[in-house]
Amino acid sequence: MQLISVILLIFSLVLLVGALLFVVLWLRANAKTRLLYSIRDGIGNVGISTVVEYPTTAEPIVALLDEEYPRSEVIIVADLQANNSNLAHLTKRFQLVGVNHNHLKGVRGFYRSRHRAYRRIVLVDMPLKCRHSACKVAKTIASYDYILRLESESVIQSGAIAYCANIIASYPHIDNISLSTIVGAKVRLERCDRSEEPERKSLLTGRILAWRKPSPIFPIVAITLPAIVLFMAHATMDRLLLFSAVAIAIASMALIYISCCLVFEKSLFTTLSTIIDSFCRFMVERWRIFSRISAKWRSERALSQPIVAIDTKRTKRDYYDREAN
Amino acid sequence: MTLANEEIAIALAMPLLMVVAQTVDWVATRLDKAISARCVERVAQMIVASEDPSEREMRGLSFRFTNVMILDAVMFISEHIYGNMLNRLALIAEDCKIEKRLLAPVWQQENRIDLLLKFSHIAPVAAVAECANWLVDDTSNKSRFCITAALVASRPERAVRHIAMLNFRLSPHEVAWLSQLLRRVGAPIAYTPMLMSENKNLQLIGIELVERFMAVDAEPHLQRLVQSEDAEVAYVALHALCTLRGDLSTPHLADVVRRLPAHCRESFIRHAVLACYSIRSCSHLLNKAERVRFTQLLNSYKCSIICN
């Protein structure tokens, strides 16, 4: 029981430190990417091509078409033959016509719309096995300088494209900006030029740019876990469990604070679920960085130790003979 | 073992906190939206009325809604009107004495920038110009930009002078914001003096206005600015030239494009394709690999194929 209490205490302290670090990073990201005013008309030559890779529903696409920022387009990479029931109706719904695609490798079909309302859509029919080159093809055909990659089932937050464009326009045209978000679905905005630029400025924002389908388990666990640990502490009269409960409660409140600040159109429950999902991703990334650093440290330490000369001619038999003698 | 009341309270604190926060947010948002909508409706009615609003109506407005609500309503409406309607809006803001009541927190650094930017929406108001003049010596770039915006909004006839006094380079966001402001307040926009000016900020704003209004008669100025030593001005002028579908066959353009960084050249290719240039008109500006890239983009039907 003592061992469980200690493990739980360590876990809760790690959670608490992680949550506080998450809040600090979020506040810093918010401060750095705070916009005084958002311009919804086109800003100079700033344009964004959004890439949706292999979506299973039309919801992400419709949300992107609702964006008001004029210099934006939607590039959908999908396997029309694999997912006939869900996406085959896209060509009919958006009045897409096939156009020439001989210059694109690995592409089965290429569609654009003749209807004014859907002029921003570009549909690329690529087999699912060529998924790794979907982004490369999207960058090849993008109309604008910046590309925004969304996860397959994430729905963009209203006004996110205009927000990204305003952030990019806060820096000189010649600068190479990349933007990602610390909360919400994973979103990455970067230039679509194939040449590697050494002076890339990586920005982190504290706004939710896209939403994933929320899992109801996360907020329920966040709310009830401190109570459960507290009950256990009371039942066993264990002080370590009490400290664990307090630490977990503080961590949960930190995440609830961020959720309250970011409540827009969705409910607090949904926002909290998204924030906890982002927090889990954040902790996993930190764990990976920590593992990499510790592996590097161990290898450096091993290299710094003196090398012992090994006589390769001596065999095991010689060794035992010597010992016997 | 029974639990004490305090322990039960602590255990239930988290779920209760969630429920209370959700309820407060729901109620506050709904109430706020409803009252703001009423305020916007009332201010809009006063603007479109045949006569100027009476003193009784002004007092009624100040009594029913808070200054912040009236200011937000004024800001919202000012984005959708221009010209003479802005004068009536400024009259409403002045009569409600919004700016005098809100000027006090302007001296605090954090609120100052937000408020000055909000004030630039309720032009022309004399008190705003006075306040902005007091703060003109502020050293922060953001503050100076917001002060300039407030001054441009309150005295549009002196816009060029105020912008020329800025001693830092404006970002594309700030350039777009100022050009939008100039269009909204109905300032006399003469882009030719801006393009001929030595001030880089004025040149950038002039190019933005030329691109926005598709002023093809400004092409000779753009051809001159493309050769500018300032890389940002040259790049923006080149883009504007493409937007206007100007002549790219002039001999100096090849040197200009060659001097651009690689990612700017890619951006130029994309923009030229969107502007419906043919490969023949741009081939002398590009190397072999870039011509292939240009052709690939052209073949992606970047030009509009819209029929209806």
Side-chain angles (χ1 to χ4, degrees):
Chain A
M1 192 63 202
Q2 191 72 11
L3 181 65
I4 295 172
S5 308
V6 168
I7 291 170
L8 200 59
L9 181 66
I10 293 170
F11 169 75
S12 57
L13 285 175
V14 166
L15 208 64
L16 176 64
V17 168
L20 293 176
L21 185 65
F22 188 67
V23 170
V24 165
L25 280 176
W26 176 77
L27 287 170
R28 197 192 288 179
N30 252 356
K32 277 196 173 170
T33 54
R34 184 180 161 240
L35 275 178
L36 291 176
Y37 191 67
S38 186
I39 300 172
R40 282 167 299 183
D41 292 339
I43 306 172
N45 303 307
V46 177
I48 297 177
S49 300
T50 314
V51 179
V52 183
E53 291 178 28
Y54 302 97
T56 51
T57 59
E59 197 187 345
I61 302 159
V62 171
L64 282 165
L65 287 175
D66 285 341
E67 286 295 298
E68 289 179 358
Y69 190 73
R71 294 179 62 85
S72 66
E73 69 174 349
V74 182
I75 300 174
I76 309 159
V77 182
D79 190 345
L80 295 181
Q81 290 180 10
N83 217 345
N84 275 338
S85 58
N86 285 342
L87 293 177
H89 71 281
L90 278 182
T91 47
K92 196 176 171 186
R93 179 176 174 176
F94 298 125
Q95 299 177 32
L96 300 176
V97 293
V99 295
N100 182 22
H101 62 276
N102 294 331
H103 59 288
L104 297 170
K105 287 181 187 171
V107 169
R108 226 187 271 141
F110 189 65
Y111 301 86
R112 298 211 62 210
S113 178
R114 286 181 136 166
H115 200 284
R116 178 167 293 280
Y118 308 123
R119 65 188 182 281
R120 295 197 218 170
I121 296 180
V122 178
L123 175 63
V124 181
D125 183 10
M126 266 181 85
L128 199 58
K129 61 182 180 188
C130 300
R131 193 178 188 123
H132 56 278
S133 56
C135 185
K136 196 175 166 189
V137 167
K139 285 183 179 181
T140 306
I141 58 171
S143 298
Y144 300 111
D145 298 339
Y146 282 88
I147 201 157
L148 180 76
R149 293 180 67 184
L150 292 180
E151 287 180 322
S152 60
E153 293 312 317
S154 52
V155 177
I156 202 151
Q157 166 71 23
S158 173
I161 303 281
Y163 172 78
C164 293
N166 277 268
I167 292 287
I168 294 166
S170 304
Y171 293 84
H173 279 297
I174 293 174
D175 278 4
N176 184 8
I177 310 293
S178 70
L179 179 73
S180 55
T181 178
I182 196 172
V183 289
K186 205 170 172 185
V187 159
R188 175 105 185 138
L189 176 79
E190 56 190 7
R191 280 196 91 102
C192 51
D193 300 317
R194 289 168 297 178
S195 59
E196 283 296 321
E197 291 295 321
E199 296 155 0
R200 181 180 294 187
K201 283 184 190 158
S202 296
L203 301 174
L204 202 60
T205 178
R207 265 179 78 147
I208 296 179
L209 297 178
W211 299 86
R212 273 170 65 175
K213 202 171 175 185
S215 166
I217 298 172
F218 287 142
I220 293 170
V221 166
I223 296 164
T224 56
L225 189 61
I228 293 169
V229 176
L230 188 65
F231 283 137
M232 280 168 58
H234 181 83
T236 56
M237 301 302 284
D238 192 342
R239 200 172 282 182
L240 291 179
L241 284 178
L242 183 66
F243 291 150
S244 307
V246 169
I248 294 172
I250 295 173
S252 298
M253 278 184 358
L255 297 179
I256 290 174
Y257 163 71
I258 298 178
S259 310
C260 290
C261 294
L262 289 175
V263 165
F264 296 124
E265 297 155 13
K266 310 278 184 180
S267 68
L268 186 60
F269 194 82
T270 310
T271 313
L272 181 60
S273 169
T274 306
I275 298 299
I276 294 173
D277 183 39
S278 312
F279 174 64
C280 294
R281 215 170 50 221
F282 169 79
M283 293 297 280
V284 164
E285 276 168 35
R286 289 292 163 277
W287 173 252
R288 279 191 192 144
I289 292 169
F290 174 74
S291 315
R292 236 180 287 145
I293 291 171
S294 61
K296 194 178 169 188
W297 179 78
R298 265 187 264 120
S299 65
E300 276 174 10
R301 202 165 167 221
L303 282 172
S304 66
Q305 295 210 344
I307 300 169
V308 176
I310 300 168
D311 188 356
T312 52
K313 288 183 185 172
R314 187 175 287 210
T315 60
K316 213 182 252 185
R317 195 175 172 179
D318 292 337
Y319 173 77
Y320 284 124
D321 287 340
R322 192 167 58 89
E323 285 296 318
N325 292 338
Chain B
M1 191 176 279
T2 55
L3 292 170
N5 288 339
E6 293 82 8
E7 285 163 345
I8 294 171
I10 291 167
L12 292 174
M14 292 290 295
L16 277 174
L17 184 69
M18 273 289 292
V19 169
V20 167
Q22 175 74 76
T23 311
V24 166
D25 171 65
W26 185 80
V27 169
T29 309
R30 291 258 170 150
L31 206 63
D32 200 36
K33 275 186 184 168
I35 297 177
S36 301
R38 293 293 293 273
C39 184
V40 166
E41 193 186 329
R42 188 75 198 100
V43 173
Q45 277 172 359
M46 287 163 78
I47 288 170
V48 301
S50 51
E51 292 169 358
D52 283 345
S54 64
E55 206 177 305
R56 193 182 168 191
E57 279 174 334
M58 295 292 195
R59 262 188 278 121
L61 189 69
S62 301
F63 183 71
R64 282 178 70 185
F65 306 105
T66 60
N67 282 334
V68 175
M69 268 182 199
I70 298 175
L71 183 61
D72 286 339
V74 161
M75 269 190 69
F76 175 74
I77 292 170
S78 67
E79 288 172 18
H80 301 280
I81 60 174
Y82 51 88
N84 281 337
M85 286 193 192
L86 274 177
N87 291 333
R88 193 172 269 193
L89 194 66
L91 199 67
I92 293 170
E94 240 176 337
D95 280 350
C96 293
K97 298 186 177 44
I98 297 174
E99 76 284 357
K100 284 183 184 160
R101 285 178 196 167
L102 292 175
L103 273 175
V106 168
W107 300 108
Q108 299 169 25
Q109 184 63 39
E110 274 189 33
N111 287 338
R112 180 188 303 178
I113 292 171
D114 288 334
L115 282 170
L116 281 170
L117 217 50
K118 282 182 181 176
F119 284 157
S120 65
H121 278 80
I122 48 171
V125 175
V128 172
E130 262 178 58
C131 163
N133 271 323
W134 292 336
L135 303 167
V136 93
D137 291 328
D138 201 312
T139 51
S140 154
N141 280 354
K142 264 190 187 168
S143 292
R144 289 182 64 83
F145 171 73
C146 297
I147 289 162
T148 306
L151 284 170
V152 165
S154 60
R155 297 219 173 107
E157 64 279 2
R158 296 189 197 172
V160 172
R161 192 185 303 178
H162 292 311
I163 295 169
M165 282 168 62
L166 288 168
N167 57 2
F168 60 92
R169 177 63 61 91
L170 293 173
S171 67
H173 183 258
E174 287 161 346
V175 166
W177 166 240
L178 279 177
S179 86
Q180 196 184 61
L181 181 62
L182 285 171
R183 295 198 310 273
R184 196 170 64 234
V185 299
I189 300 171
Y191 46 80
T192 310
M194 286 188 185
L195 294 173
M196 291 173 63
S197 159
E198 294 295 323
N199 187 292
K200 303 296 176 206
N201 289 332
L202 285 174
Q203 285 177 354
L204 289 171
I205 294 176
I207 296 171
E208 161 76 17
L209 289 168
V210 161
E211 204 172 341
R212 184 66 62 167
F213 290 118
M214 296 292 281
V216 292
D217 57 326
E219 190 181 326
H221 297 289
L222 290 178
Q223 293 279 2
R224 181 181 54 82
L225 284 172
V226 162
Q227 300 174 70
S228 167
E229 285 170 3
D230 191 306
E232 173 99 9
V233 170
Y235 178 73
V236 173
L238 184 63
H239 263 263
L241 198 59
C242 284
T243 309
L244 298 182
R245 294 189 185 88
D247 181 19
L248 295 182
S249 60
T250 44
H252 59 265
L253 271 179
D255 285 333
V256 170
V257 174
R258 206 173 300 125
R259 270 190 279 130
L260 289 175
H263 63 281
C264 293
R265 292 165 67 89
E266 285 263 357
S267 170
F268 163 71
I269 291 170
R270 271 191 288 272
H271 196 65
V273 168
L274 263 182
C276 304
Y277 279 98
S278 66
I279 182 65
R280 196 181 289 179
S281 55
C282 297
S283 59
H284 65 288
L285 301 171
L286 311 169
N287 59 33
K288 195 176 174 186
E290 285 167 353
R291 275 182 230 137
V292 169
R293 178 90 181 96
F294 195 100
T295 315
Q296 273 184 344
L297 269 175
L298 266 182
N299 291 338
S300 305
Y301 286 83
K302 293 287 114 174
C303 305
S304 176
I305 58 169
I306 293 167
C307 297
N308 57 341

